[in-house]
Each structure stands twice: as structure tokens, then as C-alpha cells.
Amino acid sequence: MAPISKECDFLVIGGGSGGLACARRASGQWGAKTIAVESNRLGGTCVNVGCVPKKVTWNAAAIAETLHEAAAYGFHVKETAPFDFKTFKHKRDDYIKRLNGIYERNLNNDKVEYLHGRAHLLDKNSVEVVMDDGSKETIRAKKILIATGGHANTPKHIPGADLGITSDGFFDLETLPKRVALVGAGYIAVEMAGMFHHLGSETHLFIRHDTFLRAFDPMIQETIVTEYERQGIHIHRNSTQSKLEKDPSNPGWMKLHYTDKASPDGATMDLDCLLWAIGRVPEVEDLGLNKAGVAQNDRGHIIADDYQNTSVENIYALGDVCGKIELTPVAIAAGRALGNRLFGGPEFKNAKLDYTNIPSVVFAHPEVGSIGMTEPEAIEKYGKENIKIYKTSFTAMYYAMMDPKDKAPTSYKVICHGEDERIVGMHILGSGSSEMLQGFGVAVRMGARKRDLDNCVAIHPTSAEELVTLK
């Protein structure tokens, strides 16, 4: 082993949201000598190829949607040129670069030493970092955190699959495709399908079953699938893909071979972009986990308990690399709690993140929000006779001026348990759901009962008032 070149109290491998939150808490608040290592851009998936550029793109799609709807309110908007996707893309890139710089300055302000390189565990206290210029640093650390996140998965069994892109490649596109196919049924596929469609691409979404967002409440699944079809997104149910190949007669285009419910014997489609959104895998390939004895599950995720402890006493893990709840705010909260527990003194000896009742949102068109149990989960845990469902579906006032065929749905469901009707699940779909759920999420976390909703005076006229007037 190479001689030790650096020593520290805390070494953080991974410069994403969770790792940086923990590193800054350990060093900036508690004074631990901390080193952070990242091989890509600071900010991780969320900042570079996830939440942040996704939301910027969603905003652009929402503006396009509003321009289309403006005529119903008497506005006559004439576009003098088509949407300039290239200019938009470059401005979005510039915004992300500014955020990368802010993250690096924040590390410096909190006295975290930052190394840009690839880290490999040598043993439970030693890490080798291969720097950008090929030189190597060997670091001895009292405690090590692995927060390397994950990366998009692609199918290995489909010939030509590498002709497609993943969600990472979505943010590299310089032009909008004319016809795009997305394969997947999770929130990434659903969000990107909505964005492609509203920005002007002919959009096809290939799913394995009859609905998408299958981890969400059935009300959400059924409503959003119907709405996407109303908008003109092509849903290919019960689909499989067998081959993707270049079209030699049409440069830049490909031919997808597939089956679906409508074509069980097989069909082909010409397209100029295919996006695989079939899940993510942990970023652990060359970490050297076996050298340190860090245990993984059968999907490759690092096994960590509620306190982020791994199978090795002084090595911890959090965020997407653990595969628990893959959301940026979850990793940040877990990171800060771990920083407090490891370095904050005895009053923080039991600090950890509570992983129950974590709100989440899908930036679809319209937005989806969810916290707590789905109806099937609540029935399984408590029994159907012990829960009560309150739900409503209506047309938001925004659509009052539009033709019936142009009106989007709004649907809410509140799931209550026991005689005192404690809220154990809330699921909302409709415009503004992302902002709305943050406040209601606080109430659910505090143990709100149905009567608490009833006792809150409604704000009128809003969609949110329907949640406090449910019968």
C-alpha cells in the first residue's frame, strides 16, 4: 500500500446532496477535519442530471402548456419563431455550472477539503484517490461515509440498446426529437414524457403493465394514465422491446422492434430518440467494498440500518447508494443527522432520520403528490374495516373557460385509520400539488386527524380547499 499522504477525522466519498450535507455539518458545525471526494461534478445527480435541470425543463413545458391554453381566456398569442430549445438548453447548463461553483464555495466556507478524483477503499480506514492527473493520494480516516449515489440503468439483453439514451442523456440533447420513445413506468419516464410532449415532440411511452407509477395509489395511476392519453401521449401497454437499430436510409433515426397490447405479434417504429428509464443502480462498481468488508444486498446496494451504519464499524452509507428512499431531501436530512450523531456530542447520540411519512412529488402534467400509505397498503396493515377513505374528483376553476375536451382532472384522496381517523395517507393530483403537499405533509407528520382538516377554515377559491371540506 502506498504511504499515507493525508489523515482526517471524516472522509466523505461522493459529492452529491447527502454527502455534502454530512461533510459540511461535520466540519462547519462540529469542527471535524473532513475531506470530500468527488469524481464528477459537485451536487450529484440532483443538481447536474436530476431534480434541478428537470424542474427547469418542466417549467418550460408548463409555459408551453399555458400558451396553448391562453386562447380560452381570450389571448391570441402568435409565435414569431418555434421554441428555441438549443438556447434554452445552454442557459440551463450555465445555471447548473453556477450551482456547481456555489457548492464548491460552500465546502470552502465550511473548511471541508475537496479532492476531485475517484476513490477506492483499501481497508476499513484507508482510501486511495486517483486524481484527475493520474496521481494518487492515500487517505487514512477515522470514519468514512459512502454517499456515491447511483446511475441510470440500461438493458443488457436488447441488441442496439446503447443507441438509446438515459435520463443523463436527456440533458445533453441539443435539439428536441421529432418522435421519442420512453421505456419505463416510474416517475422519471412519466416526467420526461410530459416534458417532451408539451415541448412539441411526438411522444410514446412504453410500459410493461396497464398503468405507470405503480408504487403510487391506484387513484393516481388510473387518473394520470387517462390524462396522458387525453393530452395525446401514446401509451404502449404490456410492451416489450426486442431490438433497436440504426436506419441506414435516414441518418439520425432508429427503428425500434417491440410488442404491445395492440400489436402482440410485433411491430416497429421509426424514431429519432429512445430514452431508457428502467431504473437506477448504485454507483459502487469500483469502490472496493469487498476490501473493507462492506455488505451489499442482491441488487448491489449497500446495506445500512436506520442510523446509516454499514456492516463495518466505522463506515457509513446514505442516499441512493443504499436504495431506501431515493430522494434528494432524504439524503440531505440523513446526512445532517449522521453528522450530528458522529461529531455533535452526547445529546445527538441517537440522531437519525425518521423514514416514515416522507412526502414526494412527481412533476408530471399535472403534478402528483403523495405522503404515507396507499389504500392497498393501509388495508393490508389495518384491515379494510378499520380505515375510511375520503376522496374527491373535480375540475379546477382554472379550466372554467375551456372546452370540456381541454379540461385536466384534479383528484384527492385522504386515508384515515381508527375511530379518531388519524390520517395515514394523502394522495393528490392536479395543478399546484407540489407546493400544496409540503404544508399538508407537516400536518400528516404531526399526526393530524380528519377533524383537524375539518376544523381548518377553507381558503376560497382554491383547489386546496377541497382537502379541508371532504365529506
Side-chain angles (χ1 to χ4, degrees), residues 242-277:
S242 58
K243 185 166 66 171
L244 185 63
E245 58 186 349
K246 291 182 179 180
D247 184 347
S249 64
N250 195 357
W253 283 69
M254 300 167 283
K255 189 178 293 291
L256 174 66
H257 297 254
Y258 68 93
T259 65
D260 63 9
K261 200 168 190 175
S263 304
D265 296 325
T268 62
M269 177 182 296
D270 295 324
L271 43 87
D272 56 339
C273 182
L274 183 141
L275 191 151
W276 301 108

Short mmCIF file of all heavy atoms in Angstrom, two decimals, residues 242-277:
data_model
loop_
_atom_site.label_atom_id
_atom_site.label_comp_id
_atom_site.label_asym_id
_atom_site.label_seq_id
_atom_site.Cartn_x
_atom_site.Cartn_y
_atom_site.Cartn_z
N SER A 242 -37.41 -5.69 -28.33
CA SER A 242 -36.51 -6.77 -28.71
C SER A 242 -35.26 -6.30 -29.43
O SER A 242 -34.23 -6.98 -29.40
CB SER A 242 -37.25 -7.80 -29.59
OG SER A 242 -37.76 -7.17 -30.75
N LYS A 243 -35.32 -5.14 -30.08
CA LYS A 243 -34.15 -4.67 -30.82
C LYS A 243 -34.28 -3.19 -31.14
O LYS A 243 -35.37 -2.69 -31.38
CB LYS A 243 -33.98 -5.48 -32.11
CG LYS A 243 -32.71 -5.14 -32.90
CD LYS A 243 -32.39 -6.17 -33.98
CE LYS A 243 -33.41 -6.18 -35.09
NZ LYS A 243 -32.99 -7.04 -36.23
N LEU A 244 -33.13 -2.52 -31.15
CA LEU A 244 -33.06 -1.13 -31.60
C LEU A 244 -31.93 -1.06 -32.60
O LEU A 244 -30.81 -1.52 -32.33
CB LEU A 244 -32.79 -0.19 -30.41
CG LEU A 244 -32.80 1.31 -30.70
CD1 LEU A 244 -34.17 1.79 -31.17
CD2 LEU A 244 -32.38 2.09 -29.43
N GLU A 245 -32.20 -0.52 -33.79
CA GLU A 245 -31.17 -0.49 -34.83
C GLU A 245 -31.20 0.84 -35.58
O GLU A 245 -32.23 1.51 -35.65
CB GLU A 245 -31.37 -1.65 -35.81
CG GLU A 245 -32.73 -1.66 -36.50
CD GLU A 245 -32.94 -2.90 -37.35
OE1 GLU A 245 -31.96 -3.63 -37.58
OE2 GLU A 245 -34.09 -3.12 -37.79
N LYS A 246 -30.05 1.20 -36.12
CA LYS A 246 -29.96 2.41 -36.93
C LYS A 246 -30.74 2.23 -38.23
O LYS A 246 -30.83 1.14 -38.76
CB LYS A 246 -28.50 2.75 -37.25
CG LYS A 246 -27.68 3.19 -36.05
CD LYS A 246 -26.26 3.53 -36.49
CE LYS A 246 -25.42 4.00 -35.29
NZ LYS A 246 -24.03 4.33 -35.71
N ASP A 247 -31.29 3.34 -38.70
CA ASP A 247 -31.96 3.34 -40.00
C ASP A 247 -30.95 3.85 -41.05
O ASP A 247 -30.66 5.05 -41.10
CB ASP A 247 -33.19 4.23 -39.96
CG ASP A 247 -33.98 4.20 -41.26
OD1 ASP A 247 -33.46 3.69 -42.27
OD2 ASP A 247 -35.14 4.70 -41.27
N PRO A 248 -30.38 2.97 -41.86
CA PRO A 248 -29.33 3.41 -42.80
C PRO A 248 -29.83 4.39 -43.85
O PRO A 248 -29.04 5.14 -44.43
CB PRO A 248 -28.88 2.09 -43.46
CG PRO A 248 -30.02 1.14 -43.27
CD PRO A 248 -30.67 1.53 -41.98
N SER A 249 -31.13 4.40 -44.09
CA SER A 249 -31.68 5.29 -45.10
C SER A 249 -32.07 6.65 -44.55
O SER A 249 -32.44 7.55 -45.31
CB SER A 249 -32.90 4.65 -45.76
OG SER A 249 -33.94 4.48 -44.81
N ASN A 250 -31.96 6.81 -43.23
CA ASN A 250 -32.40 8.07 -42.62
C ASN A 250 -31.46 8.40 -41.46
O ASN A 250 -31.70 8.01 -40.32
CB ASN A 250 -33.84 7.93 -42.13
CG ASN A 250 -34.49 9.27 -41.83
OD1 ASN A 250 -33.85 10.31 -41.92
ND2 ASN A 250 -35.75 9.24 -41.46
N PRO A 251 -30.36 9.07 -41.72
CA PRO A 251 -29.36 9.35 -40.69
C PRO A 251 -29.97 10.02 -39.45
O PRO A 251 -30.79 10.93 -39.56
CB PRO A 251 -28.38 10.29 -41.40
CG PRO A 251 -28.54 9.98 -42.85
CD PRO A 251 -29.99 9.63 -43.03
N GLY A 252 -29.56 9.54 -38.29
CA GLY A 252 -30.06 10.08 -37.03
C GLY A 252 -31.32 9.40 -36.53
O GLY A 252 -31.75 9.66 -35.41
N TRP A 253 -31.91 8.55 -37.36
CA TRP A 253 -33.12 7.85 -36.97
C TRP A 253 -32.83 6.38 -36.69
O TRP A 253 -31.84 5.82 -37.15
CB TRP A 253 -34.20 7.98 -38.06
CG TRP A 253 -34.86 9.34 -38.02
CD1 TRP A 253 -34.27 10.52 -38.35
CD2 TRP A 253 -36.18 9.64 -37.60
NE1 TRP A 253 -35.16 11.56 -38.18
CE2 TRP A 253 -36.35 11.04 -37.72
CE3 TRP A 253 -37.26 8.88 -37.16
CZ2 TRP A 253 -37.53 11.69 -37.40
CZ3 TRP A 253 -38.45 9.52 -36.85
CH2 TRP A 253 -38.57 10.91 -36.95
N MET A 254 -33.73 5.78 -35.90
CA MET A 254 -33.59 4.39 -35.49
C MET A 254 -34.91 3.67 -35.71
O MET A 254 -35.95 4.30 -35.88
CB MET A 254 -33.19 4.30 -34.01
CG MET A 254 -31.89 4.98 -33.67
SD MET A 254 -31.69 5.16 -31.87
CE MET A 254 -32.78 6.55 -31.55
N LYS A 255 -34.84 2.36 -35.64
CA LYS A 255 -36.04 1.55 -35.73
C LYS A 255 -36.13 0.69 -34.47
O LYS A 255 -35.21 -0.07 -34.15
CB LYS A 255 -36.02 0.67 -36.98
CG LYS A 255 -37.36 -0.05 -37.25
CD LYS A 255 -37.28 -0.86 -38.54
CE LYS A 255 -37.16 0.02 -39.76
NZ LYS A 255 -38.40 0.80 -40.03
N LEU A 256 -37.24 0.82 -33.76
CA LEU A 256 -37.49 0.04 -32.55
C LEU A 256 -38.40 -1.14 -32.88
O LEU A 256 -39.45 -0.96 -33.50
CB LEU A 256 -38.15 0.92 -31.48
CG LEU A 256 -38.60 0.20 -30.20
CD1 LEU A 256 -37.39 -0.33 -29.42
CD2 LEU A 256 -39.43 1.14 -29.32
N HIS A 257 -37.99 -2.32 -32.48
CA HIS A 257 -38.81 -3.52 -32.63
C HIS A 257 -39.45 -3.82 -31.27
O HIS A 257 -38.74 -3.91 -30.25
CB HIS A 257 -37.95 -4.70 -33.07
CG HIS A 257 -37.31 -4.51 -34.41
ND1 HIS A 257 -37.74 -5.17 -35.54
CD2 HIS A 257 -36.26 -3.73 -34.80
CE1 HIS A 257 -36.99 -4.81 -36.57
NE2 HIS A 257 -36.08 -3.93 -36.15
N TYR A 258 -40.76 -3.99 -31.25
CA TYR A 258 -41.44 -4.12 -29.97
C TYR A 258 -42.74 -4.91 -30.12
O TYR A 258 -43.22 -5.17 -31.23
CB TYR A 258 -41.77 -2.74 -29.40
CG TYR A 258 -42.81 -1.97 -30.20
CD1 TYR A 258 -44.17 -2.04 -29.86
CD2 TYR A 258 -42.44 -1.19 -31.29
CE1 TYR A 258 -45.13 -1.35 -30.59
CE2 TYR A 258 -43.39 -0.49 -32.03
CZ TYR A 258 -44.73 -0.58 -31.67
OH TYR A 258 -45.68 0.10 -32.39
N THR A 259 -43.30 -5.31 -28.99
CA THR A 259 -44.67 -5.80 -28.91
C THR A 259 -45.41 -4.97 -27.88
O THR A 259 -44.80 -4.41 -26.96
CB THR A 259 -44.74 -7.28 -28.50
OG1 THR A 259 -44.25 -7.42 -27.16
CG2 THR A 259 -43.93 -8.17 -29.43
N ASP A 260 -46.71 -4.87 -28.02
CA ASP A 260 -47.54 -4.23 -27.01
C ASP A 260 -48.95 -4.80 -27.09
O ASP A 260 -49.20 -5.75 -27.85
CB ASP A 260 -47.54 -2.70 -27.14
CG ASP A 260 -48.13 -2.19 -28.44
OD1 ASP A 260 -48.71 -3.01 -29.20
OD2 ASP A 260 -48.02 -0.99 -28.72
N LYS A 261 -49.84 -4.25 -26.30
CA LYS A 261 -51.20 -4.78 -26.23
C LYS A 261 -51.89 -4.74 -27.59
O LYS A 261 -52.66 -5.65 -27.96
CB LYS A 261 -52.01 -4.00 -25.20
CG LYS A 261 -53.23 -4.70 -24.67
CD LYS A 261 -53.79 -3.97 -23.46
CE LYS A 261 -54.87 -4.78 -22.77
NZ LYS A 261 -55.33 -4.12 -21.51
N ALA A 262 -51.63 -3.69 -28.35
CA ALA A 262 -52.26 -3.54 -29.65
C ALA A 262 -51.57 -4.36 -30.74
O ALA A 262 -52.19 -4.68 -31.76
CB ALA A 262 -52.27 -2.07 -30.06
N SER A 263 -50.29 -4.69 -30.51
CA SER A 263 -49.52 -5.45 -31.51
C SER A 263 -48.78 -6.60 -30.83
O SER A 263 -47.54 -6.58 -30.73
CB SER A 263 -48.53 -4.53 -32.24
OG SER A 263 -49.18 -3.43 -32.83
N PRO A 264 -49.51 -7.61 -30.37
CA PRO A 264 -48.86 -8.70 -29.64
C PRO A 264 -47.91 -9.54 -30.50
O PRO A 264 -47.03 -10.22 -29.96
CB PRO A 264 -50.05 -9.53 -29.13
CG PRO A 264 -51.17 -9.22 -30.07
CD PRO A 264 -50.97 -7.79 -30.46
N ASP A 265 -48.09 -9.49 -31.81
CA ASP A 265 -47.22 -10.27 -32.71
C ASP A 265 -46.00 -9.49 -33.17
O ASP A 265 -45.19 -10.00 -33.94
CB ASP A 265 -48.02 -10.74 -33.92
CG ASP A 265 -49.14 -11.70 -33.54
OD1 ASP A 265 -48.94 -12.49 -32.60
OD2 ASP A 265 -50.21 -11.64 -34.18
N GLY A 266 -45.89 -8.24 -32.73
CA GLY A 266 -44.71 -7.45 -33.05
C GLY A 266 -44.98 -6.31 -34.00
O GLY A 266 -45.88 -6.37 -34.85
N ALA A 267 -44.22 -5.24 -33.82
CA ALA A 267 -44.33 -4.06 -34.68
C ALA A 267 -43.00 -3.33 -34.64
O ALA A 267 -42.11 -3.65 -33.84
CB ALA A 267 -45.46 -3.16 -34.19
N THR A 268 -42.86 -2.34 -35.50
CA THR A 268 -41.66 -1.50 -35.49
C THR A 268 -42.09 -0.03 -35.49
O THR A 268 -43.21 0.31 -35.88
CB THR A 268 -40.77 -1.75 -36.73
OG1 THR A 268 -41.51 -1.43 -37.91
CG2 THR A 268 -40.31 -3.20 -36.77
N MET A 269 -41.18 0.80 -35.03
CA MET A 269 -41.45 2.25 -35.01
C MET A 269 -40.17 2.97 -35.38
O MET A 269 -39.09 2.67 -34.83
CB MET A 269 -41.93 2.67 -33.63
CG MET A 269 -42.16 4.18 -33.50
SD MET A 269 -42.67 4.66 -31.84
CE MET A 269 -44.24 3.80 -31.73
N ASP A 270 -40.27 3.95 -36.25
CA ASP A 270 -39.14 4.82 -36.58
C ASP A 270 -39.14 5.99 -35.60
O ASP A 270 -40.18 6.62 -35.35
CB ASP A 270 -39.26 5.34 -38.01
CG ASP A 270 -39.15 4.23 -39.04
OD1 ASP A 270 -38.37 3.30 -38.82
OD2 ASP A 270 -39.88 4.30 -40.06
N LEU A 271 -37.97 6.29 -35.06
CA LEU A 271 -37.87 7.38 -34.10
C LEU A 271 -36.46 7.94 -34.11
O LEU A 271 -35.52 7.29 -34.56
CB LEU A 271 -38.26 6.89 -32.70
CG LEU A 271 -37.72 5.52 -32.23
CD1 LEU A 271 -36.36 5.66 -31.60
CD2 LEU A 271 -38.68 4.89 -31.24
N ASP A 272 -36.33 9.17 -33.62
CA ASP A 272 -35.00 9.79 -33.58
C ASP A 272 -34.46 9.93 -32.16
O ASP A 272 -33.40 10.51 -31.95
CB ASP A 272 -34.99 11.14 -34.30
CG ASP A 272 -36.01 12.13 -33.80
OD1 ASP A 272 -36.99 11.70 -33.17
OD2 ASP A 272 -35.84 13.34 -34.03
N CYS A 273 -35.17 9.35 -31.19
CA CYS A 273 -34.65 9.31 -29.82
C CYS A 273 -35.37 8.23 -29.04
O CYS A 273 -36.60 8.12 -29.12
CB CYS A 273 -34.84 10.67 -29.13
SG CYS A 273 -34.17 10.74 -27.44
N LEU A 274 -34.62 7.43 -28.32
CA LEU A 274 -35.20 6.48 -27.36
C LEU A 274 -34.54 6.69 -26.02
O LEU A 274 -33.30 6.74 -25.93
CB LEU A 274 -35.02 5.04 -27.82
CG LEU A 274 -35.68 4.00 -26.88
CD1 LEU A 274 -36.32 2.87 -27.68
CD2 LEU A 274 -34.68 3.44 -25.88
N LEU A 275 -35.35 6.84 -24.99
CA LEU A 275 -34.84 7.08 -23.64
C LEU A 275 -35.21 5.90 -22.73
O LEU A 275 -36.39 5.60 -22.55
CB LEU A 275 -35.40 8.39 -23.08
CG LEU A 275 -34.76 8.92 -21.79
CD1 LEU A 275 -34.85 10.45 -21.75
CD2 LEU A 275 -35.39 8.34 -20.54
N TRP A 276 -34.18 5.25 -22.20
CA TRP A 276 -34.40 4.16 -21.24
C TRP A 276 -34.58 4.76 -19.85
O TRP A 276 -33.71 5.48 -19.35
CB TRP A 276 -33.22 3.20 -21.21
CG TRP A 276 -32.89 2.54 -22.52
CD1 TRP A 276 -31.81 2.80 -23.33
CD2 TRP A 276 -33.64 1.51 -23.18
NE1 TRP A 276 -31.84 1.99 -24.44
CE2 TRP A 276 -32.95 1.19 -24.37
CE3 TRP A 276 -34.82 0.83 -22.87
CZ2 TRP A 276 -33.39 0.22 -25.26
CZ3 TRP A 276 -35.27 -0.13 -23.76
CH2 TRP A 276 -34.57 -0.44 -24.93
N ALA A 277 -35.71 4.48 -19.22
CA ALA A 277 -35.96 4.93 -17.85
C ALA A 277 -36.44 3.73 -17.05
O ALA A 277 -37.54 3.70 -16.51
CB ALA A 277 -37.00 6.05 -17.84
#
